[in-house]
Structure formats: C-alpha cells, structure tokens
Amino acid sequence: MEAYIKMKLYLIRHGETDYNRQKKNQGQIDIPLNAFGRELAVRTRDGLAEVPFDLCLCSPLGRARETAELILEGRNVPIITDERIIEVSFGRYEGRCWNPDTWDEDMPREFQCFFDRPGEYQAPPDGESLEALKERTGEFLRDICSREEYRDSTILVSTHGAALAAILANIKGLPISRFWGDGCSKNCGVTEVAVREGVPELLSENVIYY
C-alpha cells in the first residue's frame, strides 16, 4: 500500500500558550508559545525525528511558526506561510475568557455553542463563521493535494485547533454540526494523512509524542 502513497501530510496543532492555559480566545491574536509549549514542541520533534520532511506549510501566526521551527530545528526544510490555515477569527470575542468559572461577561453565554453545539454557533459580525473557516481550509486542502510539485513530498502543516478541526471535517466529510469530530486536537497533537491521486486519507489522528 505504501508504494501508492503520492504525498504525506503531518498536521500539527501548535504548542501551548498562556491563552490556552487561561482558556482565552486566541483567534488571530499573535500569542507566543509559553515555556511548556516549547517543551511540547521539542518532545514532538524527537518523536518525528525519523520523518523525512520536504517542506512545511505554516499559519502566519507566531505560535504556529515557532512550533514548526522547533520541530524542524537542525534540518534544511523550507517553511512557507499560508494564510488559509490561520486560526478562526473571533472578532470582538478575541482575548475573552470562556472558562465557565471566570466567564468574561462582555461575551454572551451563547458563545459556548462554539464548543458544544457548533451547528448553532453564531460568529460576531466582525468574526468568522465555522462555515467560512471550513471553506478556506478546504480550499487549502484541495489545492495542496492536487499540486504536481508536491507529489511524493512529505509535508508538515503547522496550524491551530479550530483550523485543524476544519481540515479534518473536510477530509471526513463532516457537517458543521459535527465540526469537532472526535474532539479538538491537543497542543502538538499530530495527525498523519496520506494523499493518493489527490484524495486525502487519515492514517492516524491526534498522536501525542510527550
């Protein structure tokens, strides 16, 4: 079966940030990794040491870039920024806390739908809907899988929790009501995808190396 694999993608969610720990919406705010997040990336680097990456496609946000750089440290692997895999925009809700015990009262309680009932989630007027997120990450996936120059390549894709969930929803054919599938990937969780004749197929999901 391996002989028929034309491309492999290793999709990774970035390492932990302080906003992750505090349960704050990061969205497109450029929050850096914290010390533990860097440690997770280094441990993941060790777990992926034998994977022969040819290139990396990366969200423009620093936490995804630093995760990729740590994983690829010591290798001559180009990192290419792609806006289509940036995290979902929460608009005015960015920076707001969704911890049930310390809920930010400037954010409506209905925001909990984002996690619990994604089919009912209503993005703020200055934010991005899950439908729009799924569409742009789906366009990214279709484009990458069909590129002749990436044929036979092994590609690291460094992105974010909701953006990665949207990529997986496209692969699995899930509706928005089942957007999260089996749950959000853990920080530095790795999902392996084989691409045969332009069609992506999950090999493993949310594998942890720490």
Side-chain angles (χ1 to χ4, degrees), residues 22-40:
Q22 297 162 6
K23 291 183 169 57
K24 288 184 177 181
N25 289 327
Q26 291 182 103
Q28 296 180 4
I29 301 177
D30 208 354
I31 304 300
L33 300 182
N34 59 24
F36 183 60
R38 296 185 186 98
E39 179 182 343
L40 297 185

Side-chain angles (χ1 to χ4, degrees), residues 42-210:
V42 169
R43 293 186 187 181
T44 304
R45 176 188 67 201
D46 295 340
L48 297 175
E50 301 302 316
V51 178
F53 291 114
D54 296 296
L55 73 151
C56 172
L57 301 172
C58 186
S59 158
L61 295 177
R63 57 190 182 271
R65 178 85 184 199
E66 186 176 8
T67 299
E69 289 174 342
L70 287 168
I71 289 173
L72 297 172
E73 188 174 22
R75 307 197 203 193
N76 185 24
V77 176
I79 300 177
I80 302 170
T81 298
D82 197 310
E83 294 280 348
R84 295 172 296 183
I85 54 173
I86 196 172
E87 183 58 303
V88 66
S89 171
F90 293 112
R92 67 193 65 181
Y93 300 155
E94 296 199 348
R96 305 295 188 185
C97 185
W98 52 267
N99 186 329
D101 298 325
T102 55
W103 190 274
D104 193 318
E105 292 306 324
D106 289 329
M107 187 170 63
R109 289 283 175 171
E110 289 77 14
F111 179 82
Q112 190 65 37
C113 289
F114 180 79
F115 305 104
D116 298 342
R117 300 183 306 280
E120 301 175 28
Y121 174 67
Q122 296 294 317
D126 56 347
E128 182 180 25
S129 69
L130 290 177
E131 289 83 358
L133 174 64
K134 187 180 177 188
E135 175 56 32
R136 68 169 163 86
T137 56
E139 198 279 329
F140 163 83
L141 185 66
R142 291 187 294 273
D143 176 30
I144 298 308
C145 291
S146 65
R147 285 201 186 189
E148 184 63 27
E149 66 265 36
Y150 292 160
R151 184 173 179 172
D152 299 319
S153 295
T154 299
I155 304 173
L156 178 66
V157 178
S158 184
T159 184
H160 308 267
L164 178 51
I167 293 172
L168 293 176
N170 278 290
I171 293 174
K172 297 175 182 179
L174 299 179
I176 295 298
S177 60
R178 296 181 56 209
F179 177 83
W180 295 105
D182 296 324
C184 185
S185 179
K186 295 179 183 292
N187 290 114
C188 284
V190 178
T191 293
E192 186 178 355
V193 176
V195 181
R196 299 178 177 88
E197 303 301 328
V199 180
E201 173 191 347
L202 281 174
L203 299 179
S204 62
E205 186 174 347
N206 198 20
V207 176
I208 301 301
Y209 293 95
Y210 54 85

